[in-house]
Structures are given as C-alpha cells and as structure tokens.
Amino acid sequence: MTNNYELYKVFYWAAKTGSLTQAAKALYITQPSVSHAIKQLEDSFGLTLFYRTSKGVSLTQEGAVLYSYIEKSQILISVAEEKMTALKNLGSGELRIGGSDSLFKHYLLPYLEDYHRKYPGIKLHLNHGTTPETISFLKEGRIDVGVVRMPIVDDQLEVMRGIQLQDCFVAGERYAELKGVELSMELLLHYPIILFSRNSRVRMAITELFQSYGYEIKPEIEVGSVDLLIEFARKGLGISYVTREFVAKELEAGSLFEIQLDVKLPPSQVGFMIMRNMPLSSAASKFIELVK
C-alpha cells in the first residue's frame, strides 16, 4: 500500500468540500488528477471511499472512518505550518543570551529594548555568568548568543566584534586630592583598591598589566557586581577599577572622577559569540543584525 501524503491530502479536500472540482481548485490541480488520486487510494485499500452523486461525492462508511483520522492529521499539519511561519516572521520563539550583568545592563539594555519593541512575540532569556561560564552555556546549547570581553580563542566558536570599552580607576570625594594628579602604579597601590571578585576578563587583564610592570595588585575589597564597584567608590571605601562607559553618568555628575595613571590602560573589545557551523534561529539572527 502506498503511503503518499499527497493522496491523503486529495482525499481530505474531496471529503471536506464534497466536490472533486472544489478539491482540484483548493489544491491547484486538475479534476482528473483528483479522480486519479482517489482511485489510487481506493485501490491501495481495496475499499470504496466515496459515493459519486449528481451533486459531487459523499463518504462511504469506510471513507468516513479514514476521514476521522486524516482530518486530525491535516489540522496538526496546518498548525505546524502556522507555527513555522510565525517563527520565520518572529511572531513567536525565544532568544537566549549569555553574558555578564554589567554588559547586559550598561551595554545591551538599549538593544534588548529595541529588539523587544520590534519582536514582542519573542521571549527573552538572559543567562548571567563570567566569560568561561558563558562559553560553557553556549557549548551546552543553553544559549544562542554569548556576549563577552575579547579575546576569545576557540575553534568551536565564531566571534564578531562589538564596541570597544575603556577601563579605568575611579574615586569619590574622599580622595579629592587626587583629582588632576598623575599617579604611578606604585603610588596607586598605596590606596585601597576595589576590584571585581569573580574570574572576569577585566580582573585578569588589570592583574596581568600590573604584573608586566613588576607589581602585584591586591584588592582591599572585592565585590560581585559593577554596581557595587561604583557605589563603594562613591562612598569613599576605596578606588574602583571599572569600565569608563559604565560610569559615564557618575563622571559627568561629579560623584566620581577618573584617576590619572602614568601608564596607558589598554582598551577592551566586546564580542558576540555563536557556535561555528551551527545554524542560528531566526530570533538570534535578527538580534545579531541589530547589534551589528
């Protein structure tokens, strides 16, 4: 017996419309093609599925049994097709992004707002983590896109450049005497330093920079978020190492000022990671287009 989906589709429309002519119109085929398909199906079962009448066709008892099953499958197929169209047109689905709290809040938030405005049917899932954790999320299939500090060297990943950021040391009014003063690394280390506690790219970079000049930077205070780095510096608990772009408002308002060093602090690059040679969902593709 043949298992041709097209035959069942012809049977469905002939039964639904009660007319071989209407079935042919619905399927954009000729009436003889409809008749031939029904005959093939009847021959394969060895059963008569339709009575031919002057008004068209009507189902036999056996045909009605078959129709009760075929109708359900056609409804499911139609729903599936609608779902696929919705996914293609971004009417539904989800976007899963991994990255640090600070990058989400201070960099990605405007993009996420814009994306949500354009595609309100897409559910957003944000997975917070350090760079190593975000790479693991991506490889485990828990996220579609990772947003991290570069460089990232991994053959399994494709990384696209985002914006460039500049890290710096900042302090509040308690250290006002340091405004406009150029400090050496050695002098800076005489003051309490506040650093991010987790194994972040920023923490690793500043540690390596000081080591390259023969110094060891030991924080007096370690905190778990950029917001706390900013707040502790404002309160005068020490000098925080933060991303300049993330404290733009505080620097402009004067609640924080930037410490001038006699060495240049290297900029850092944000990158968007995806799995190499893996197809992106429509939702993820549109997000990449938006941020690029």
Side-chain angles (χ1 to χ4, degrees):
M1 186 188 112
T2 182
N3 189 28
N4 192 326
Y5 167 68
E6 293 301 320
L7 298 185
Y8 290 122
K9 191 158 69 170
V10 170
F11 166 80
Y12 170 77
W13 280 102
K16 184 179 174 68
T17 61
S19 165
L20 301 186
T21 303
Q22 292 302 316
K25 285 182 179 178
L27 296 169
Y28 300 101
I29 59 177
T30 65
Q31 186 174 327
S33 297
V34 172
S35 299
H36 180 65
I38 289 172
K39 186 176 186 311
Q40 278 187 278
L41 201 57
E42 289 181 325
D43 289 347
S44 69
F45 284 119
L47 296 167
T48 301
L49 302 174
F50 289 102
Y51 295 118
R52 274 67 174 176
T53 68
S54 58
K55 294 182 179 179
V57 293
S58 61
L59 289 167
T60 62
Q61 188 174 350
E62 293 80 7
V65 172
L66 179 62
Y67 182 74
S68 68
Y69 290 100
I70 298 299
E71 184 183 29
K72 292 173 187 175
S73 68
Q74 286 296 318
I75 290 170
L76 287 174
I77 289 167
S78 295
V79 170
E81 288 174 344
E82 288 171 8
K83 182 68 174 177
M84 292 300 101
T85 301
L87 288 172
K88 181 182 177 182
N89 297 330
L90 299 176
S92 64
E94 63 179 11
L95 173 64
R96 304 168 303 163
I97 308 174
S100 68
D101 290 340
S102 56
L103 286 175
F104 284 142
K105 179 180 178 180
H106 298 285
Y107 172 40
L108 280 189
L109 188 56
Y111 294 109
L112 293 172
E113 287 174 337
D114 190 22
Y115 187 88
H116 184 63
R117 218 171 14 249
K118 289 180 176 177
Y119 312 111
I122 302 294
K123 292 181 181 178
L124 294 175
H125 298 280
L126 305 183
N127 286 46
H128 306 267
T130 61
T131 294
E133 287 170 340
T134 301
I135 290 172
S136 294
F137 292 159
L138 193 59
K139 290 183 176 181
E140 292 164 8
R142 292 165 61 185
I143 59 173
D144 306 302
V145 182
V147 186
V148 293
R149 304 269 187 144
M150 296 173 69
I152 300 293
V153 181
D154 191 314
D155 291 340
Q156 292 180 264
L157 306 177
E158 182 181 336
V159 186
M160 295 150 282
R161 287 178 175 271
I163 63 166
Q164 185 171 281
L165 300 174
Q166 180 61 59
D167 299 309
C168 63
F169 287 96
V170 297
E173 272 305 306
R174 182 174 178 183
Y175 299 98
E177 75 276 6
L178 298 179
K179 285 183 182 178
V181 177
E182 186 176 87
L183 291 181
S184 65
M185 283 182 161
E186 186 178 359
L187 281 175
L188 176 69
L189 294 177
H190 290 155
Y191 294 89
I193 302 297
I194 308 171
L195 296 180
F196 195 58
S197 57
R198 303 181 75 185
N199 186 26
S200 68
R201 288 286 185 196
V202 177
R203 174 73 182 263
M204 290 163 60
I206 195 61
T207 300
E208 289 169 5
L209 179 68
F210 270 69
Q211 285 176 345
S212 70
Y213 283 90
Y215 297 103
E216 185 179 0
I217 183 167
K218 289 184 177 180
E220 187 162 311
I221 301 174
E222 293 181 294
V223 296
S225 74
V226 171
D227 288 342
L228 286 177
L229 281 172
I230 295 169
E231 193 60 25
F232 277 32
R234 284 181 66 250
K235 296 291 187 184
L237 277 70
I239 295 173
S240 288
Y241 188 62
V242 296
T243 302
R244 184 188 291 151
E245 289 79 3
F246 298 171
V247 290
K249 290 179 182 178
E250 288 80 5
L251 292 173
E252 187 177 347
S255 59
L256 291 175
F257 65 91
E258 185 174 343
I259 300 291
Q260 304 300 320
L261 285 184
D262 63 355
V263 297
K264 182 174 174 58
L265 298 174
S268 62
Q269 188 88 35
V270 174
F272 294 90
M273 304 183 303
I274 58 175
M275 289 299 293
R276 191 180 297 279
N277 301 323
M278 287 285 286
L280 273 179
S281 67
S282 297
S285 296
K286 287 296 180 185
F287 178 72
I288 293 293
E289 286 177 22
L290 186 67
V291 294
K292 284 173 74 177

